Amino acid sequence: MAMRRTLILAFAISLFTMQINILYAAIANPKPGADCSKIGTSQVYKGLKFTCTKSGKKLIWNKGVPVKFGESCSKKDQTILIGGKAAMCTSMNGKLTWQIDTYQKLLGAWQDTLAYKNAQPLPNAALDVRYSPLVNRKIADAILASLKSSSQFWQSQFLPTKPFPTLFFTEKDKSWFGAQMAKLGLAPKCIDQQLDQFDQEIARNGENANGAGYAGCDDVTFFDFYIGTGRKDIGTNELKVGAHEYTHSGQFGALTNEGGEFAPCWFIEGGAEFYGITLSALKDSDVYKMRQEHVWEPYMFNFKGLALLDPNSVESFIEENGVNYNHQVCGPNGAYPVGAIATEYLFLQQGQTGILKFMEDIKINHDFKSSIQKIYGISWEQMKKEMADYIRLVIAQTPKPN
């Protein structure tokens, strides 16, 4: 009886071991000649697609073949390297295929932006900082730090040598704001315009007011930042807004008055959003969160979110947000996220050098479409298509925040 129990136990152990080996073969990373469990199945590992084949009486992995972009894949969001480039298994048009990993592209642009900034000398941006009595100084100083950091990047285009007015205030500071406008020397008509914009921002957002601007009237320019009393914490918007507004000063410093009116909305506002991310993010998780916000957050003027934009309308949206735009609408109408990714795509072609050449050519020739052809070597129609394809890819690869 004891002998029988021993045999049964030995058989059970052998069977269990066999099952473990089969399971291990099924889940282990494939290697040429290693055991596999089911003929015809395949796995992708380190850029190679391995297939389970029969060799004699054994099932083994073959040598593997290089994976190519555009080929089908099976595990959504899996990431690998293809020819040294980051790729992601992406669901588009009902199919899973290997595509460029756009988040890794954005991380690369972030790193390149910081490298460009850090290669510049440390500037001394002269800012005349004015805090209203009620403003949250912690948030104001976080925005101020972002402004000063961005001045290192854009110093060749804009670096104030005389104290540049920089105002921080709340929704309760209309009288204070109006008094500051008068102290800056704005004409009564300009002050009325600024106070009207103040009223519009407060009507929209109340105690959560978060408007900001690189503004001006009658040749008087300044930064202004609304910090509603309901805002308590430093989030991605607080990190980003200073870099966004300083980028505008850099853009218009490069374009000057001659070229500013010929630059498209998607580039002016979207470009400020792109650099808002790449100049303000402190870590890669900040970059990821800002990307998610761009894709999923709704904006004003009935823009429900980039993720909900009709994929077939991306090209037309870019075209419609060209020159001769409404400055009060451009950006919150969806041009922020669309233009940010379009500018990212331009940056990925030739980096900051290409962006600066692009603005210089717009300033001279007053036609951004011909500047695309001259600087990037393809027609505007082709560039617009490539931008739209990239935007659609970003949407497909960016999950909704939890």
Side-chain angles (χ1 to χ4, degrees), residues 9 24-25 50 59 136 229 240 297 329 341 352 358:
L9 180 60
Y24 176 79
F50 295 90
L59 295 180
N136 184 318
T229 55
K240 185 171 61 175
E297 278 195 354
V329 173
I341 301 171
Q352 182 65 3
F358 179 53

Side-chain angles (χ1 to χ4, degrees), residues 159-209:
L159 184 67
T161 54
K162 296 181 180 179
F164 193 85
T166 305
L167 284 63
F168 298 96
F169 49 92
T170 77
E171 81 280 6
K172 299 179 181 180
D173 292 318
K174 183 175 180 178
S175 295
W176 180 90
F177 180 67
Q180 297 302 313
M181 295 295 99
K183 288 180 180 178
L184 292 178
L186 268 69
K189 181 179 179 181
C190 291
I191 294 176
D192 288 341
Q193 290 174 353
Q194 294 300 317
L195 292 177
D196 182 56
Q197 291 180 22
F198 184 103
D199 289 338
Q200 292 177 34
E201 171 63 22
I202 305 313
R204 283 192 298 266
N205 295 314
E207 66 174 12
N208 294 312

Side-chain angles (χ1 to χ4, degrees), residues 265-266 303 306 309-310 312-322 331-339 380 384 391:
C265 160
W266 61 261
F303 188 82
L306 183 55
L309 183 65
D310 178 1
N312 296 317
S313 70
V314 179
E315 284 97 332
S316 60
F317 186 94
I318 295 171
E319 189 68 53
E320 289 163 8
N321 283 270
N333 67 341
Y336 283 150
V338 171
W380 164 241
K384 182 172 60 175
I391 291 168

